[in-house]
Amino acid sequence: MRMEKETMDKDIMEILTPVLGQELAAAIIEHRSRTLKKPLTAYAARIQVKEYLKTGNPVDAAEMQILRGWRAIKSDWYFNEKAREAGSDNANTGRRTLVDAARDFLSGDDHSGDAFGLSGFRRH
């Protein structure tokens, strides 16, 4: 039984490593077997690799899977999470900040006609 598991893990490593690298591949196997108590099969690993690749960032997708405690990841779950993360970042920037104003000024988008919002000081 022990020998069979080692052979299976070796097969799964050979499937995952070219896409994820050795350390992350081992982490995915450990995540599935120890954390979730649902060991990965070689067949499931091949399916999972396809989903990792569909994301365009397989390492980030595999890390998301581990961090979220997911048994697997589908590319649309990955993109939904990324969109949700981006949305929560943008939710905090509803008001204009000094950095926004400075960026606009430096890019010439202030449209005030003068350098500091004071009449008579023209930008050269």
Side-chain angles (χ1 to χ4, degrees):
M1 181 71 174
R2 179 100 179 114
M3 190 71 164
E4 193 176 301
K5 184 191 178 321
E6 286 174 10
T7 303
M8 185 177 249
D9 283 356
K10 184 176 168 291
D11 292 347
I12 294 167
M13 282 295 290
E14 287 175 5
I15 294 165
L16 297 177
T17 299
V19 175
L20 302 179
Q22 197 165 353
E23 185 181 15
L24 187 52
I28 286 290
I29 291 170
E30 183 179 5
H31 170 69
R32 285 291 305 259
S33 61
R34 287 191 187 168
T35 309
L36 301 178
K37 308 282 189 235
K38 296 182 184 297
L40 196 59
T41 64
Y43 189 84
R46 284 192 290 275
I47 294 169
Q48 193 58 80
V49 162
K50 289 178 191 171
E51 290 297 323
Y52 291 144
L53 291 170
K54 283 183 198 174
T55 69
N57 191 339
V59 168
D60 193 42
E63 288 175 345
M64 179 185 286
Q65 177 185 348
I66 291 171
L67 289 172
R68 302 285 192 284
W70 293 343
R71 184 176 66 207
I73 190 168
K74 295 188 95 179
S75 57
D76 56 336
W77 300 352
Y78 172 82
F79 292 122
N80 289 342
E81 281 293 298
K82 284 296 187 187
R84 196 177 60 73
E85 286 173 9
S88 66
D89 289 346
N90 294 338
N92 299 332
T93 58
R95 61 188 172 83
R96 206 169 139 73
T97 65
L98 183 60
V99 173
D100 295 328
R103 191 179 300 121
D104 287 350
F105 172 74
L106 292 172
S107 68
D109 293 339
D110 67 325
H111 304 297
S112 65
D114 58 54
F116 301 99
L118 303 170
S119 56
F121 290 101
R122 294 251 172 237
R123 189 176 355 204
H124 296 290

